[in-house]
Amino acid sequence: MSFLSRIMVLKSQAHFSAGVYNRFGGPSAKAPIEGSRKKRAGQARSRVGLLIVGFIGVYCVIGGRLVEYAVKDPEVVSSILPPDRLMASRPDILDRNGEVLATDIRTVSLFAEPHKVVDPDDAVEKLSTVLPDLDMKGTYKKLANRTSHFAWLRRQLTPKQQSQILALGIPGIGFRPEKRRFYPGGATAAHILGYVNIDNRGVAGMEKYIDDQGLADLASVGMTSDQPLEPVRLSIDVRVQNIVRDVVVNAVKNYEAKGAGAVILDIHTGEVLAMASAPDFDPNNPMEGAKEGWLNRMSNGTFEMGSTFKTFSLAMALDTGKVKLTDSFDATQPIRIGGFTIHDFHGQRRWLTLPEVFQYSSNVGTARIIDIVGMEAQKDYLTKLGLLSKMQTELPEVKMPSQPKVWKKINSITISFGHGVSTTPLQTAVAGAALINGGKLIEPTFLPRTREQADDVAEVVVKKSTSDDVRYLFKLNGIKGSGRNADVPGFQVGGKTGTADKVVNGRYATNLNFNAFLAAFPMDDPKYMVLTFCDEPHNGEKGQNIAAYTAAPMVKNIIARAAPILGVEPKFGDDGSAMLVSY
């Protein structure tokens, strides 16, 4: 082999050895290995950094939510009302002078989240120490329902009860703010104001009327708020209302009666200035009066009004022109018709002039007069006076009067003196006002109304001359007749009593009476109509259970106390005696 060939072979071997050495750890491979390690270490540090940032982010979110829950009211799903509606406002109710009759106050209610309650037995036992009347069995059932997330335990707690329950430290128990209706006068105007339910929604009276005007609809779509609303002003005067209720409640007690009632109307505007019915209830706790007190006997009870109806019978006879004040009628003998006998309680057994028929409350004389009027005219007049149809007013509690399905002559006669048609006492007072104010029927209102506004809605039902004649009859009876026990010196009270036997098992019971007195004052310039009634009295004055000794003294008591408040000044003669009015 030549020298050159050998050199080439050795060179080739040297290159081969160097390549193998470099691939398997020779000195030339050190730099790439170190670069690879640095790269992998950087990637590891990046991954750890990302993990740290991720954990920090998660914990920040959790911390943020915890802070949010700490400062925000818990979102409780109420099965009764959503939270915003629990605090929705109702308008204050004021009397005509601005005195508060009903308002909202803030309160709290107790609720539970049963799924968070640790020991239902222990929770019930602790709660019963603060709420002794708690339904323990029912409450345990609510708390033991682990699938439930909300349950009311007690609505509208007192601040003291809330403080005591908080001190118990029961897990899963909380409080929700809400509003409660408060009536400062208690039962004073119960049947006018009505009351609200546990969710502050109107159930009866003017409270329900307010809801029916749109408040309930707004609440149902969540458009109410906790902002104060414009107050609702009523026509009643709470000072007079206190007097009327006091007289009515005392009548039930003193006369041992089943019930009693009274109303004062402005005869020119139809405004109800005061109205009460007993038994009644406290709207702050209406359930206590549920048995008897809820019935508003003035507008939602119908009764045969007895001889007060003679006012309407004689008025319609005079209005037709078929009868005059100077006419006389045979009252010498009872009237027998259809197997019935019509007789007089205070029989004079002689011919009576029309004023005497009214003064002596003659059934026989009234029957003679209505026979001249005729049955159809009688029905027409009673309809025009609003005594045969449902009265229109703001109060929801208004009952429909009852009358015979088929009118016969016997019905016409008995209805003329107050038997056979049942009406509400309030609508009887409204019809009476129409006969005193000049002949205009004005539907009653519990909201303020001016005389001009009243004239716009009034309907003329009798002539002014007829109204003048009825005023004369009222004053005559107040001086010489059965209304003497209602007279208040100086205030010229006139009116008509009515004593009706009540129907028991289809028959009239002579020992059970419904007594009423329809009055107006002052008779020289009448402004107010007063109607009182006493249902089934057993202890009337002087042992008499008729209207003259029960309902009439109620009118006297009311007018004597309320007339000065109403701005009526007494009138006396020069010698100090009460002035009489001539017609």
Side-chain angles (χ1 to χ4, degrees):
M1 178 182 296
S2 68
F3 176 76
L4 289 177
S5 297
R6 189 172 181 145
I7 291 298
M8 292 296 295
V9 171
L10 290 172
K11 251 182 161 182
S12 176
Q13 289 175 346
H15 280 297
F16 176 78
S17 298
V20 172
Y21 184 80
N22 287 338
R23 286 187 62 187
F24 294 98
S28 63
K30 184 176 180 180
I33 291 174
E34 287 180 356
S36 176
R37 286 176 179 173
K38 289 179 180 180
K39 184 178 180 180
R40 286 197 297 270
Q43 290 175 341
R45 283 194 299 271
S46 298
R47 293 190 186 102
V48 171
L50 287 173
L51 285 173
I52 292 173
V53 171
F55 278 115
I56 291 173
V58 170
Y59 281 111
C60 285
V61 171
I62 293 173
R65 296 294 286 175
L66 289 174
V67 172
E68 181 183 357
Y69 287 136
V71 300
K72 182 180 178 181
D73 286 338
E75 189 68 23
V76 178
V77 181
S78 168
S79 60
I80 302 175
L81 281 179
D84 59 330
R85 287 177 59 191
L86 293 174
M87 291 298 289
S89 295
R90 294 185 65 81
D92 286 354
I93 300 179
L94 313 177
D95 85 333
R96 67 188 301 113
N97 301 311
E99 294 294 324
V100 177
L101 302 175
T103 189
D104 284 344
I105 59 174
R106 289 178 177 268
T107 183
V108 294
S109 289
L110 179 67
F111 74 90
E113 296 174 275
H115 68 294
K116 295 181 181 179
V117 176
V118 177
D119 187 344
D121 279 316
D122 181 63
V124 171
E125 287 182 11
K126 287 181 177 179
L127 288 173
S128 65
T129 63
V130 179
L131 307 171
D133 58 342
L134 183 71
D135 178 6
M136 298 181 68
K137 185 177 179 181
T139 303
Y140 174 81
K141 195 172 181 180
K142 291 178 181 179
L143 298 182
N145 183 4
R146 308 301 296 177
T147 61
S148 173
H149 286 67
F150 180 88
W152 286 122
L153 300 184
R154 176 63 62 88
R155 303 291 291 276
Q156 300 177 349
L157 299 176
T158 65
K160 182 179 179 180
Q161 289 172 329
Q162 181 189 14
S163 176
Q164 291 174 332
I165 293 173
L166 275 171
L168 296 175
I170 305 172
I173 299 296
F175 301 92
R176 291 305 308 277
E178 59 179 331
K179 289 188 176 179
R180 176 183 179 182
R181 202 64 163 163
F182 176 62
Y183 303 88
T188 300
H191 288 112
I192 296 174
L193 297 174
Y195 61 98
V196 298
N197 62 16
I198 195 69
D199 294 319
N200 225 23
R201 295 289 168 257
V203 174
M206 294 303 290
E207 293 281 25
K208 188 174 190 304
Y209 169 78
I210 291 170
D211 275 17
D212 290 345
Q213 299 312 297
L215 183 63
D217 293 335
L218 290 174
S220 66
V221 295
M223 293 184 66
T224 50
S225 72
D226 62 351
Q227 297 302 309
L229 300 176
E230 187 72 21
V232 175
R233 192 178 293 263
L234 302 187
S235 61
I236 70 169
D237 187 320
V238 72
R239 301 169 299 173
V240 180
Q241 179 67 30
N242 268 301
I243 293 169
V244 170
R245 180 182 181 269
D246 183 59
V247 170
V248 167
V249 170
N250 284 334
V252 172
K253 178 182 178 182
N254 297 334
Y255 300 143
E256 300 175 8
K258 180 179 180 181
V263 65
I264 300 180
L265 282 172
D266 184 316
I267 66 171
H268 298 298
T269 65
E271 293 172 295
V272 177
L273 298 174
M275 187 182 78
S277 170
D280 56 13
F281 62 95
D282 184 349
N284 291 305
N285 190 7
M287 293 307 296
E288 288 187 357
K291 185 176 181 181
E292 291 287 343
W294 282 357
L295 176 61
N296 181 358
R297 290 168 169 81
M298 287 302 302
S299 65
N300 204 26
T302 55
F303 308 92
E304 293 186 349
M305 297 301 294
S307 293
T308 58
F309 252 53
K310 289 171 183 169
T311 306
F312 309 119
S313 297
L314 271 57
M316 66 181 72
L318 291 166
D319 203 63
T320 60
K322 296 179 180 180
V323 172
K324 301 186 296 295
L325 279 177
T326 54
D327 290 345
S328 298
F329 306 91
D330 183 8
T332 58
Q333 299 293 331
I335 297 175
R336 292 177 174 82
I337 179 171
F340 296 92
T341 301
I342 310 300
H343 58 82
D344 287 339
F345 185 72
H346 300 288
Q348 301 299 303
R349 299 284 181 172
R350 61 180 175 84
W351 282 69
L352 301 174
T353 63
L354 189 146
E356 287 178 325
V357 170
F358 196 76
Q359 174 187 344
Y360 295 116
S361 196
S362 172
N363 295 337
V364 174
T366 305
R368 302 285 188 195
I369 292 171
I370 210 67
D371 191 41
I372 296 172
V373 172
M375 187 188 306
E376 292 305 316
Q378 181 187 25
K379 288 176 66 175
D380 289 342
Y381 269 97
L382 290 178
T383 300
K384 284 198 299 181
L385 288 165
L387 292 167
L388 299 181
S389 56
K390 188 174 181 179
M391 179 178 62
Q392 300 300 312
T393 189
E394 295 86 11
L395 277 189
E397 297 80 27
V398 175
K399 193 171 183 180
M400 178 75 182
S402 64
Q403 60 176 305
K405 292 182 178 179
V406 178
W407 282 49
K408 300 178 181 178
K409 188 170 183 178
I410 183 63
N411 301 120
S412 175
I413 290 175
T414 60
I415 289 169
S416 72
F417 51 79
H419 286 82
V421 165
S422 294
T423 61
T424 70
L426 179 56
Q427 71 184 135
T428 304
V430 171
L435 300 182
I436 298 296
N437 67 11
K440 297 178 292 185
L441 181 68
I442 306 171
E443 293 290 357
T445 181
F446 292 85
L447 301 173
R449 181 195 281 162
T450 66
R451 192 160 178 172
E452 291 73 21
Q453 290 171 332
D455 288 340
D456 290 340
V457 298
E459 294 182 19
V460 177
V461 290
V462 295
K463 294 177 285 192
K464 185 180 181 303
S465 60
T466 302
S467 178
D468 291 339
D469 289 342
V470 173
R471 289 186 187 185
Y472 165 71
L473 294 175
F474 262 43
K475 186 58 184 178
L476 175 69
N477 197 52
I479 298 171
K480 296 182 178 180
S482 58
R484 293 190 302 272
N485 289 341
D487 187 49
V488 181
F491 289 106
Q492 304 161 21
V493 181
K496 182 72 186 78
T497 54
T499 300
D501 294 338
K502 294 191 69 175
V503 177
V504 179
N505 297 325
R507 293 178 174 273
Y508 285 103
T510 56
N511 63 328
L512 294 177
N513 299 331
F514 180 86
N515 300 337
F517 192 89
L518 182 64
F521 78 100
M523 290 312 302
D524 62 332
D525 183 17
K527 292 180 173 63
Y528 302 103
M529 176 66 60
V530 182
L531 183 141
T532 60
F533 77 80
C534 195
D535 188 12
E536 296 185 20
H538 292 91
N539 188 31
E541 295 184 8
K542 298 182 181 180
Q544 300 271 354
N545 294 325
I546 58 177
Y549 296 98
T550 55
M554 290 172 65
V555 168
K556 180 177 183 177
N557 197 351
I558 288 173
I559 293 177
R561 296 167 61 185
I565 297 175
L566 294 171
V568 180
E569 297 182 1
K571 294 184 179 180
F572 297 94
D574 294 336
D575 59 354
S577 61
M579 292 180 61
L580 300 182
V581 181
S582 59
Y583 289 85

